[in-house]
Amino acid sequence: MKVPDIIIAVDGYSSTGKSTFAKLIAKEFDFLYLDSGALYRGVTLFARERKLISADNVIDPALEGALASLDLHFGKEGTFMGERCIEKDIRTLEVSSQVSPIAAVPYVRAFVDAKLREFGEKGRIVMDGRDIGTTVFPDAQVKVFMTASEQVRAQRRYDEMVAKGETPAFEDVLANLRERDYIDSHRETSPLRRAADAFELDNSDMSLTEEIAWIRGLIQGKFGIL
Ligand code: DC
């Protein structure tokens, strides 16, 4: 199936399987996959290491100026801060628990948006996040809004952490998920919401094969291709 050079935006709550789905789309259609959340995580790691965010999430206004020296980009092995691969460091529970307040700061969002638009300039990309179809690429030709039940999402996140050797309590994982959902959908700048022209995909009871069949069908219908 020859898909035109479009932008596919995949938004939704955390742990709905956005990145798994977006990576599969990239493989299926030979697109470039870009993970916007990784940049918010990169800014969070940077703020933590520079001591510009306190344990109770008070953000030092000096972060704004400091961002000028922050070089975040994607390489073969994932996300980079300058020469350093930070792919592992940005996935810790510490970063996960501080990323939503960081992502709520307007100048942080402006910083990340500018990078995402630059990376996405050439099209043929699939980008996942919270506001790709509403703010970053409002003209994206295909927009997907992913949902799944809270229990299913918490279980997925829990399984992921256990697979990495962590020993979280299920209740804590669920609480962290609820807190992030709340902050992400209630912040003032670019809150998480479904774009009017996004197609909703509830994958609570779907296999990955079914998800791919769904997006193929959607693209075939939209562009009249086989
Ligand atoms: O998808 P993720 O869990 O890696 O995202 C990390 C955080 O970044 C999440 O709490 C919300 C925020 N985020 C955002 O506000 N806008 C995006 N486009 C992507 C992520």
Side-chain angles (χ1 to χ4, degrees), residues 75-114:
K76 254 216 166 104
E77 300 86 18
T79 317
F80 280 76
M81 186 189 281
E83 302 277 287
R84 169 181 163 207
C85 179
I86 54 168
E87 195 52 39
K88 271 220 170 102
D89 300 338
I90 59 173
R91 311 281 168 197
T92 62
L93 193 57
E94 288 78 18
V95 168
S96 297
S97 65
Q98 293 202 295
V99 62
S100 282
I102 288 277
V105 177
Y107 62 75
V108 171
R109 299 206 71 83
F111 171 83
V112 169
D113 285 356

mmCIF file of all heavy atoms in Angstrom, residues 75-114:
data_model
loop_
_atom_site.group_PDB
_atom_site.id
_atom_site.type_symbol
_atom_site.label_atom_id
_atom_site.label_comp_id
_atom_site.label_asym_id
_atom_site.label_seq_id
_atom_site.Cartn_x
_atom_site.Cartn_y
_atom_site.Cartn_z
ATOM 1 N N GLY A 75 18.203 10.286 17.621
ATOM 2 C CA GLY A 75 19.237 9.584 16.861
ATOM 3 C C GLY A 75 18.807 8.147 16.686
ATOM 4 O O GLY A 75 17.675 7.792 17.004
ATOM 5 N N LYS A 76 19.722 7.334 16.202
ATOM 6 C CA LYS A 76 19.397 5.922 15.941
ATOM 7 C C LYS A 76 18.951 5.179 17.191
ATOM 8 O O LYS A 76 18.007 4.399 17.179
ATOM 9 C CB LYS A 76 20.634 5.220 15.353
ATOM 10 C CG LYS A 76 20.502 4.946 13.865
ATOM 11 C CD LYS A 76 21.157 3.611 13.530
ATOM 12 C CE LYS A 76 20.752 3.139 12.152
ATOM 13 N NZ LYS A 76 21.789 3.312 11.174
ATOM 14 N N GLU A 77 19.641 5.454 18.321
ATOM 15 C CA GLU A 77 19.334 4.709 19.557
ATOM 16 C C GLU A 77 18.257 5.393 20.389
ATOM 17 O O GLU A 77 18.036 5.013 21.532
ATOM 18 C CB GLU A 77 20.592 4.519 20.417
ATOM 19 C CG GLU A 77 21.721 3.754 19.763
ATOM 20 C CD GLU A 77 22.624 4.652 18.939
ATOM 21 O OE1 GLU A 77 22.589 5.894 19.132
ATOM 22 O OE2 GLU A 77 23.341 4.140 18.071
ATOM 23 N N GLY A 78 17.640 6.434 19.868
ATOM 24 C CA GLY A 78 16.576 7.093 20.628
ATOM 25 C C GLY A 78 16.853 8.565 20.834
ATOM 26 O O GLY A 78 17.373 9.245 19.944
ATOM 27 N N THR A 79 16.528 9.045 22.029
ATOM 28 C CA THR A 79 16.616 10.476 22.318
ATOM 29 C C THR A 79 18.020 10.852 22.803
ATOM 30 O O THR A 79 18.622 10.126 23.597
ATOM 31 C CB THR A 79 15.592 10.816 23.416
ATOM 32 O OG1 THR A 79 14.379 10.127 23.108
ATOM 33 C CG2 THR A 79 15.331 12.306 23.490
ATOM 34 N N PHE A 80 18.512 11.997 22.316
ATOM 35 C CA PHE A 80 19.849 12.466 22.685
ATOM 36 C C PHE A 80 19.805 13.859 23.293
ATOM 37 O O PHE A 80 19.004 14.701 22.891
ATOM 38 C CB PHE A 80 20.770 12.513 21.456
ATOM 39 C CG PHE A 80 21.335 11.169 21.092
ATOM 40 C CD1 PHE A 80 20.531 10.223 20.459
ATOM 41 C CD2 PHE A 80 22.645 10.842 21.392
ATOM 42 C CE1 PHE A 80 21.038 8.970 20.134
ATOM 43 C CE2 PHE A 80 23.165 9.594 21.073
ATOM 44 C CZ PHE A 80 22.366 8.652 20.444
ATOM 45 N N MET A 81 20.703 14.061 24.274
ATOM 46 C CA MET A 81 20.957 15.405 24.807
ATOM 47 C C MET A 81 22.386 15.688 24.393
ATOM 48 O O MET A 81 23.322 15.110 24.959
ATOM 49 C CB MET A 81 20.814 15.377 26.336
ATOM 50 C CG MET A 81 20.902 16.727 27.000
ATOM 51 S SD MET A 81 20.988 16.549 28.805
ATOM 52 C CE MET A 81 19.294 16.240 29.248
ATOM 53 N N GLY A 82 22.568 16.502 23.378
ATOM 54 C CA GLY A 82 23.910 16.666 22.811
ATOM 55 C C GLY A 82 24.394 15.313 22.314
ATOM 56 O O GLY A 82 23.682 14.611 21.588
ATOM 57 N N GLU A 83 25.566 14.912 22.779
ATOM 58 C CA GLU A 83 26.158 13.630 22.353
ATOM 59 C C GLU A 83 25.649 12.447 23.175
ATOM 60 O O GLU A 83 25.923 11.304 22.851
ATOM 61 C CB GLU A 83 27.682 13.678 22.552
ATOM 62 C CG GLU A 83 28.387 14.793 21.827
ATOM 63 C CD GLU A 83 28.664 14.406 20.388
ATOM 64 O OE1 GLU A 83 29.557 13.586 20.168
ATOM 65 O OE2 GLU A 83 27.949 14.925 19.495
ATOM 66 N N ARG A 84 24.963 12.756 24.252
ATOM 67 C CA ARG A 84 24.614 11.711 25.227
ATOM 68 C C ARG A 84 23.257 11.083 24.923
ATOM 69 O O ARG A 84 22.258 11.801 24.772
ATOM 70 C CB ARG A 84 24.604 12.382 26.601
ATOM 71 C CG ARG A 84 24.024 11.555 27.712
ATOM 72 C CD ARG A 84 24.055 12.373 29.002
ATOM 73 N NE ARG A 84 23.164 11.812 30.002
ATOM 74 C CZ ARG A 84 22.588 12.510 30.978
ATOM 75 N NH1 ARG A 84 22.830 13.817 31.089
ATOM 76 N NH2 ARG A 84 21.800 11.921 31.830
ATOM 77 N N CYS A 85 23.223 9.751 24.858
ATOM 78 C CA CYS A 85 21.946 9.068 24.670
ATOM 79 C C CYS A 85 21.218 9.029 26.015
ATOM 80 O O CYS A 85 21.751 8.518 26.996
ATOM 81 C CB CYS A 85 22.169 7.647 24.149
ATOM 82 S SG CYS A 85 20.614 6.754 23.943
ATOM 83 N N ILE A 86 20.030 9.592 26.070
ATOM 84 C CA ILE A 86 19.305 9.693 27.344
ATOM 85 C C ILE A 86 18.059 8.808 27.347
ATOM 86 O O ILE A 86 17.186 8.955 28.206
ATOM 87 C CB ILE A 86 18.903 11.161 27.654
ATOM 88 C CG1 ILE A 86 18.116 11.774 26.484
ATOM 89 C CG2 ILE A 86 20.137 11.995 27.995
ATOM 90 C CD1 ILE A 86 17.440 13.099 26.823
ATOM 91 N N GLU A 87 17.989 7.904 26.388
ATOM 92 C CA GLU A 87 16.784 7.081 26.225
ATOM 93 C C GLU A 87 16.379 6.375 27.522
ATOM 94 O O GLU A 87 15.203 6.349 27.883
ATOM 95 C CB GLU A 87 17.022 6.079 25.094
ATOM 96 C CG GLU A 87 15.781 5.413 24.563
ATOM 97 C CD GLU A 87 14.651 6.371 24.164
ATOM 98 O OE1 GLU A 87 14.925 7.450 23.597
ATOM 99 O OE2 GLU A 87 13.490 6.043 24.447
ATOM 100 N N LYS A 88 17.357 5.831 28.229
ATOM 101 C CA LYS A 88 17.042 5.111 29.481
ATOM 102 C C LYS A 88 16.711 6.097 30.596
ATOM 103 O O LYS A 88 15.742 5.915 31.343
ATOM 104 C CB LYS A 88 18.250 4.267 29.912
ATOM 105 C CG LYS A 88 18.261 2.868 29.337
ATOM 106 C CD LYS A 88 18.736 1.863 30.402
ATOM 107 C CE LYS A 88 18.537 0.449 29.936
ATOM 108 N NZ LYS A 88 19.809 -0.158 29.465
ATOM 109 N N ASP A 89 17.520 7.151 30.699
ATOM 110 C CA ASP A 89 17.377 8.106 31.811
ATOM 111 C C ASP A 89 16.036 8.827 31.816
ATOM 112 O O ASP A 89 15.588 9.299 32.863
ATOM 113 C CB ASP A 89 18.498 9.165 31.747
ATOM 114 C CG ASP A 89 19.875 8.529 31.842
ATOM 115 O OD1 ASP A 89 19.964 7.404 32.364
ATOM 116 O OD2 ASP A 89 20.858 9.146 31.388
ATOM 117 N N ILE A 90 15.406 8.933 30.643
ATOM 118 C CA ILE A 90 14.135 9.681 30.601
ATOM 119 C C ILE A 90 12.927 8.789 30.901
ATOM 120 O O ILE A 90 11.802 9.274 30.941
ATOM 121 C CB ILE A 90 13.916 10.402 29.243
ATOM 122 C CG1 ILE A 90 13.902 9.403 28.076
ATOM 123 C CG2 ILE A 90 14.947 11.498 29.046
ATOM 124 C CD1 ILE A 90 13.518 10.047 26.732
ATOM 125 N N ARG A 91 13.161 7.482 31.097
ATOM 126 C CA ARG A 91 12.026 6.562 31.338
ATOM 127 C C ARG A 91 11.909 6.144 32.800
ATOM 128 O O ARG A 91 11.161 5.223 33.106
ATOM 129 C CB ARG A 91 12.164 5.289 30.485
ATOM 130 C CG ARG A 91 12.454 5.535 29.020
ATOM 131 C CD ARG A 91 11.232 5.918 28.225
ATOM 132 N NE ARG A 91 11.595 6.419 26.911
ATOM 133 C CZ ARG A 91 10.793 7.119 26.126
ATOM 134 N NH1 ARG A 91 9.567 7.395 26.510
ATOM 135 N NH2 ARG A 91 11.204 7.561 24.962
ATOM 136 N N THR A 92 12.658 6.767 33.692
ATOM 137 C CA THR A 92 12.585 6.366 35.100
ATOM 138 C C THR A 92 11.298 6.889 35.737
ATOM 139 O O THR A 92 10.667 7.822 35.232
ATOM 140 C CB THR A 92 13.774 6.944 35.897
ATOM 141 O OG1 THR A 92 13.687 8.365 35.829
ATOM 142 C CG2 THR A 92 15.105 6.478 35.333
ATOM 143 N N LEU A 93 10.934 6.299 36.888
ATOM 144 C CA LEU A 93 9.730 6.746 37.590
ATOM 145 C C LEU A 93 9.891 8.188 38.082
ATOM 146 O O LEU A 93 8.939 8.964 38.096
ATOM 147 C CB LEU A 93 9.431 5.792 38.760
ATOM 148 C CG LEU A 93 8.048 5.943 39.395
ATOM 149 C CD1 LEU A 93 6.932 5.773 38.371
ATOM 150 C CD2 LEU A 93 7.860 4.940 40.540
ATOM 151 N N GLU A 94 11.134 8.569 38.445
ATOM 152 C CA GLU A 94 11.395 9.943 38.907
ATOM 153 C C GLU A 94 11.049 10.943 37.802
ATOM 154 O O GLU A 94 10.370 11.942 38.043
ATOM 155 C CB GLU A 94 12.872 10.131 39.296
ATOM 156 C CG GLU A 94 13.296 9.452 40.575
ATOM 157 C CD GLU A 94 13.518 7.951 40.406
ATOM 158 O OE1 GLU A 94 13.673 7.487 39.242
ATOM 159 O OE2 GLU A 94 13.498 7.233 41.430
ATOM 160 N N VAL A 95 11.540 10.684 36.598
ATOM 161 C CA VAL A 95 11.235 11.598 35.488
ATOM 162 C C VAL A 95 9.736 11.532 35.180
ATOM 163 O O VAL A 95 9.078 12.559 35.017
ATOM 164 C CB VAL A 95 12.100 11.285 34.242
ATOM 165 C CG1 VAL A 95 11.583 12.033 33.014
ATOM 166 C CG2 VAL A 95 13.560 11.635 34.499
ATOM 167 N N SER A 96 9.172 10.326 35.157
ATOM 168 C CA SER A 96 7.741 10.177 34.849
ATOM 169 C C SER A 96 6.874 10.967 35.822
ATOM 170 O O SER A 96 5.855 11.521 35.437
ATOM 171 C CB SER A 96 7.315 8.708 34.924
ATOM 172 O OG SER A 96 7.993 7.967 33.949
ATOM 173 N N SER A 97 7.306 11.035 37.077
ATOM 174 C CA SER A 97 6.440 11.703 38.056
ATOM 175 C C SER A 97 6.608 13.217 38.037
ATOM 176 O O SER A 97 5.827 13.933 38.641
ATOM 177 C CB SER A 97 6.680 11.136 39.454
ATOM 178 O OG SER A 97 7.990 11.462 39.840
ATOM 179 N N GLN A 98 7.631 13.733 37.321
ATOM 180 C CA GLN A 98 7.793 15.194 37.272
ATOM 181 C C GLN A 98 7.524 15.779 35.883
ATOM 182 O O GLN A 98 7.523 16.988 35.711
ATOM 183 C CB GLN A 98 9.209 15.568 37.726
ATOM 184 C CG GLN A 98 9.435 15.245 39.210
ATOM 185 C CD GLN A 98 10.567 16.046 39.814
ATOM 186 O OE1 GLN A 98 11.711 15.871 39.408
ATOM 187 N NE2 GLN A 98 10.268 16.924 40.753
ATOM 188 N N VAL A 99 7.261 14.905 34.915
ATOM 189 C CA VAL A 99 7.147 15.419 33.542
ATOM 190 C C VAL A 99 5.860 16.215 33.297
ATOM 191 O O VAL A 99 5.876 17.202 32.549
ATOM 192 C CB VAL A 99 7.339 14.276 32.510
ATOM 193 C CG1 VAL A 99 6.300 13.208 32.612
ATOM 194 C CG2 VAL A 99 7.403 14.800 31.097
ATOM 195 N N SER A 100 4.773 15.852 33.933
ATOM 196 C CA SER A 100 3.532 16.580 33.655
ATOM 197 C C SER A 100 3.596 18.048 34.092
ATOM 198 O O SER A 100 3.190 18.923 33.325
ATOM 199 C CB SER A 100 2.317 15.877 34.270
ATOM 200 O OG SER A 100 1.950 14.778 33.468
ATOM 201 N N PRO A 101 4.101 18.346 35.314
ATOM 202 C CA PRO A 101 4.243 19.770 35.660
ATOM 203 C C PRO A 101 5.174 20.517 34.711
ATOM 204 O O PRO A 101 4.900 21.675 34.341
ATOM 205 C CB PRO A 101 4.813 19.754 37.083
ATOM 206 C CG PRO A 101 4.799 18.359 37.555
ATOM 207 C CD PRO A 101 4.380 17.457 36.445
ATOM 208 N N ILE A 102 6.243 19.870 34.273
ATOM 209 C CA ILE A 102 7.166 20.519 33.326
ATOM 210 C C ILE A 102 6.438 20.786 32.002
ATOM 211 O O ILE A 102 6.538 21.867 31.414
ATOM 212 C CB ILE A 102 8.421 19.625 33.082
ATOM 213 C CG1 ILE A 102 9.330 19.619 34.313
ATOM 214 C CG2 ILE A 102 9.170 20.047 31.820
ATOM 215 C CD1 ILE A 102 10.291 20.785 34.435
ATOM 216 N N ALA A 103 5.662 19.785 31.557
ATOM 217 C CA ALA A 103 4.961 19.913 30.271
ATOM 218 C C ALA A 103 3.810 20.912 30.334
ATOM 219 O O ALA A 103 3.240 21.257 29.303
ATOM 220 C CB ALA A 103 4.448 18.546 29.816
ATOM 221 N N ALA A 104 3.473 21.375 31.526
ATOM 222 C CA ALA A 104 2.394 22.361 31.639
ATOM 223 C C ALA A 104 2.919 23.792 31.507
ATOM 224 O O ALA A 104 2.139 24.749 31.424
ATOM 225 C CB ALA A 104 1.687 22.188 32.988
ATOM 226 N N VAL A 105 4.249 23.958 31.473
ATOM 227 C CA VAL A 105 4.832 25.310 31.426
ATOM 228 C C VAL A 105 4.820 25.834 29.982
ATOM 229 O O VAL A 105 5.386 25.198 29.089
ATOM 230 C CB VAL A 105 6.289 25.278 31.963
ATOM 231 C CG1 VAL A 105 6.931 26.645 31.860
ATOM 232 C CG2 VAL A 105 6.314 24.763 33.404
ATOM 233 N N PRO A 106 4.189 26.993 29.737
ATOM 234 C CA PRO A 106 4.073 27.472 28.353
ATOM 235 C C PRO A 106 5.394 27.614 27.603
ATOM 236 O O PRO A 106 5.480 27.220 26.438
ATOM 237 C CB PRO A 106 3.383 28.836 28.512
ATOM 238 C CG PRO A 106 2.598 28.709 29.785
ATOM 239 C CD PRO A 106 3.412 27.818 30.684
ATOM 240 N N TYR A 107 6.464 28.122 28.244
ATOM 241 C CA TYR A 107 7.716 28.279 27.478
ATOM 242 C C TYR A 107 8.366 26.919 27.175
ATOM 243 O O TYR A 107 9.080 26.793 26.195
ATOM 244 C CB TYR A 107 8.700 29.246 28.167
ATOM 245 C CG TYR A 107 9.199 28.851 29.538
ATOM 246 C CD1 TYR A 107 10.160 27.855 29.705
ATOM 247 C CD2 TYR A 107 8.727 29.500 30.681
ATOM 248 C CE1 TYR A 107 10.625 27.505 30.959
ATOM 249 C CE2 TYR A 107 9.175 29.155 31.951
ATOM 250 C CZ TYR A 107 10.124 28.150 32.079
ATOM 251 O OH TYR A 107 10.575 27.798 33.324
ATOM 252 N N VAL A 108 8.086 25.924 28.010
ATOM 253 C CA VAL A 108 8.584 24.571 27.705
ATOM 254 C C VAL A 108 7.847 24.037 26.473
ATOM 255 O O VAL A 108 8.444 23.484 25.549
ATOM 256 C CB VAL A 108 8.403 23.600 28.906
ATOM 257 C CG1 VAL A 108 8.708 22.161 28.494
ATOM 258 C CG2 VAL A 108 9.284 24.018 30.079
ATOM 259 N N ARG A 109 6.546 24.269 26.438
ATOM 260 C CA ARG A 109 5.758 23.778 25.301
ATOM 261 C C ARG A 109 6.209 24.473 24.007
ATOM 262 O O ARG A 109 6.317 23.841 22.956
ATOM 263 C CB ARG A 109 4.249 23.980 25.535
ATOM 264 C CG ARG A 109 3.739 23.212 26.760
ATOM 265 C CD ARG A 109 2.272 22.874 26.675
ATOM 266 N NE ARG A 109 2.003 21.840 25.689
ATOM 267 C CZ ARG A 109 2.118 20.535 25.905
ATOM 268 N NH1 ARG A 109 2.481 20.080 27.081
ATOM 269 N NH2 ARG A 109 1.866 19.669 24.942
ATOM 270 N N ALA A 110 6.487 25.772 24.095
ATOM 271 C CA ALA A 110 6.933 26.498 22.898
ATOM 272 C C ALA A 110 8.272 25.927 22.417
ATOM 273 O O ALA A 110 8.486 25.740 21.207
ATOM 274 C CB ALA A 110 7.058 27.987 23.216
ATOM 275 N N PHE A 111 9.159 25.631 23.350
ATOM 276 C CA PHE A 111 10.478 25.066 23.035
ATOM 277 C C PHE A 111 10.321 23.711 22.323
ATOM 278 O O PHE A 111 10.927 23.465 21.279
ATOM 279 C CB PHE A 111 11.258 24.910 24.353
ATOM 280 C CG PHE A 111 12.556 24.151 24.240
ATOM 281 C CD1 PHE A 111 13.722 24.797 23.823
ATOM 282 C CD2 PHE A 111 12.624 22.803 24.576
ATOM 283 C CE1 PHE A 111 14.917 24.090 23.729
ATOM 284 C CE2 PHE A 111 13.819 22.103 24.485
ATOM 285 C CZ PHE A 111 14.965 22.749 24.058
ATOM 286 N N VAL A 112 9.476 22.847 22.889
ATOM 287 C CA VAL A 112 9.291 21.511 22.307
ATOM 288 C C VAL A 112 8.562 21.609 20.958
ATOM 289 O O VAL A 112 8.957 20.967 19.984
ATOM 290 C CB VAL A 112 8.541 20.576 23.296
ATOM 291 C CG1 VAL A 112 8.109 19.281 22.615
ATOM 292 C CG2 VAL A 112 9.422 20.267 24.505
ATOM 293 N N ASP A 113 7.513 22.432 20.890
ATOM 294 C CA ASP A 113 6.754 22.576 19.631
ATOM 295 C C ASP A 113 7.665 22.966 18.473
ATOM 296 O O ASP A 113 7.543 22.441 17.362
ATOM 297 C CB ASP A 113 5.669 23.656 19.774
ATOM 298 C CG ASP A 113 4.494 23.174 20.598
ATOM 299 O OD1 ASP A 113 4.482 21.991 20.993
ATOM 300 O OD2 ASP A 113 3.589 23.990 20.875
ATOM 301 N N ALA A 114 8.563 23.927 18.741
ATOM 302 C CA ALA A 114 9.450 24.401 17.667
ATOM 303 C C ALA A 114 10.307 23.241 17.154
ATOM 304 O O ALA A 114 10.482 23.073 15.947
ATOM 305 C CB ALA A 114 10.334 25.536 18.181
#
